[in-house]
Amino acid sequence: MIDLSPYPEILDGDFNSVPNSYEYYSLGKDLQNAFLEAGNCSPSSFHDYKVPLRIDHIFRSKSIISLNYKVDNSVQLSDHYLVIAEFLLN
């Protein structure tokens, strides 16, 4: 679907995939990772495991600029924390 879209895309969600997984690379192959560009916080989005994990991701098209990325661990609605990003659309 992303390859066929004529519009800039933002793809985010609970992918249950760590950054060195096949799923991570497949989904983000032509997209940019908002955390790598604008994250200045702990990237851990999953808190029900023995070690911190970043398994929730936000990817964006190259024409969108990542301004901010954060994981809000003050709200615990599930076993994942909220992942929030701000973008500049051209």
Side-chain angles (χ1 to χ4, degrees), residues 9-13 15 19 24 27-28 30-43 54 56-62 64-71 83-88:
E9 300 90 15
I10 295 175
L11 174 65
D12 66 298
F15 299 108
Y24 175 88
L27 289 169
D30 295 323
L31 301 171
Q32 307 299 309
N33 186 307
F35 169 74
L36 295 178
E37 297 182 312
N40 58 1
C41 62
S42 168
R54 181 167 57 100
D56 304 280
H57 306 285
I58 302 176
F59 299 102
R60 62 150 185 92
S61 294
K62 293 177 181 168
I64 299 173
I65 299 168
S66 301
L67 297 176
N68 191 12
Y69 178 102
K70 69 177 182 176
V71 176
V83 178
I84 303 165
E86 291 180 73
F87 300 100
L88 176 62

Side-chain angles (χ1 to χ4, degrees), residues 2-3 21 23 30 32 39 55 57 68 76 87:
I2 290 174
D3 292 339
S21 67
E23 295 83 8
D30 295 323
Q32 307 299 309
I55 59 174
H57 306 285
N68 191 12
Q76 292 190 10
F87 300 100

